[in-house]
Amino acid sequence: MKQELIEMLCEKSFMYSKEPIYRLVSGRQSNFYVNCKPTTLHPKGMFLIGHMVFDCVKDVNAQGVGGLTFGADPVALAAAFASYLKEKPLKAFSIRKTQKDHGIVKWLEGDMQPGERVVIVEDVVTTGGSTINAVERARAEGLEVVKVVVLVDRQEGGMEAVRAHVDSIEAIVTVEDLMAVYQKKEMASDA
């Protein structure tokens, strides 16, 4: 499954340039860009991601899976769906980027209760800032964050930054994995 996901991410979500032409959220320029949404919102991508995230969290005794909207939403939904198929259901939740200011003022949407154990998911981690925000907001809502699962680690220090806030963190795919497939395809097309 992992190799299928890497191939799909390379085809639909990964862009590379010899020159740093891609502007990141931080404002920094990069040689590569990873936009996971074409993969996470694709039926096959959802299937692969849901099962792989579930495999990462099935033994942590969590009740929920979610993260910062919008990047984490399809990852969390896919994992929740797969968890039900595997008869070990996890509830999905979404964390707002800005706090709701009407009705019941809160950061989180979903059927989660204070004290429940949750896994924070993220589509891409670069510096870890968004993931750390998600962890802090989940805790502010009374949830116990037991693990973080990242779909793609850009390998730029984000995983280490998040690890300072959560003991257990795991990446399914790294940029190194994506570059290996990208380079193999480039060599094949040059031949």
Side-chain angles (χ1 to χ4, degrees):
M1 262 191 194
K2 181 175 178 176
Q3 195 56 40
E4 280 183 275
L5 179 59
I6 292 169
E7 296 279 342
M8 188 171 190
L9 284 164
C10 273
E11 179 187 327
K12 297 189 172 299
S13 298
F14 182 71
M15 294 170 267
Y16 178 79
S17 168
K18 290 181 181 174
E19 300 299 319
I21 61 170
Y22 302 107
R23 184 194 260 53
L24 305 177
V25 173
S26 67
R28 192 172 56 77
Q29 297 291 111
S30 177
N31 292 65
F32 56 91
Y33 182 67
V34 184
N35 173 12
C36 288
K37 283 131 190 106
T39 300
T40 62
L41 294 169
H42 187 280
K44 180 180 178 181
M46 286 181 181
F47 175 84
L48 295 170
I49 292 162
H51 284 83
M52 292 185 73
V53 170
F54 176 77
D55 286 345
C56 292
V57 305
K58 64 185 176 192
D59 297 324
V60 299
N61 189 31
Q63 288 80 46
V65 58
L68 201 61
T69 199
F70 172 74
D73 292 342
V75 177
L77 294 170
F81 187 81
S83 75
Y84 190 82
L85 294 175
K86 305 260 185 162
E87 299 181 0
K88 205 168 181 181
L90 294 166
K91 298 179 279 185
F93 63 92
S94 184
I95 299 172
R96 297 171 178 277
K97 290 189 178 177
T98 56
Q99 194 172 36
K100 186 176 172 183
D101 64 355
H102 60 281
I104 299 171
V105 179
K106 60 183 181 175
W107 285 110
L108 193 131
E109 288 297 334
D111 186 25
M112 302 307 303
Q113 301 302 314
E116 288 187 305
R117 294 167 54 92
V118 299
V119 174
I120 298 295
V121 290
E122 184 71 82
D123 60 349
V124 180
V125 165
T126 305
T127 64
S130 295
T131 310
I132 293 166
N133 283 341
V135 168
E136 290 172 348
R137 291 174 184 173
R139 288 178 175 154
E141 294 289 330
L143 301 176
E144 181 186 348
V145 178
V146 296
K147 186 169 186 170
V148 171
V149 177
V150 174
L151 182 57
V152 178
D153 174 15
R154 286 179 54 101
Q155 297 177 289
E156 295 184 26
M159 297 290 282
E160 294 76 14
V162 174
R163 195 169 282 113
H165 297 267
V166 180
D167 292 335
S168 182
I169 181 169
E170 183 175 351
I172 294 173
V173 175
T174 65
V175 162
E176 188 176 318
D177 296 329
L178 297 174
M179 280 302 297
V181 169
Y182 176 84
Q183 289 170 339
K184 189 185 294 183
K185 287 183 179 186
E186 283 294 303
M187 289 190 319
S189 70
D190 289 345

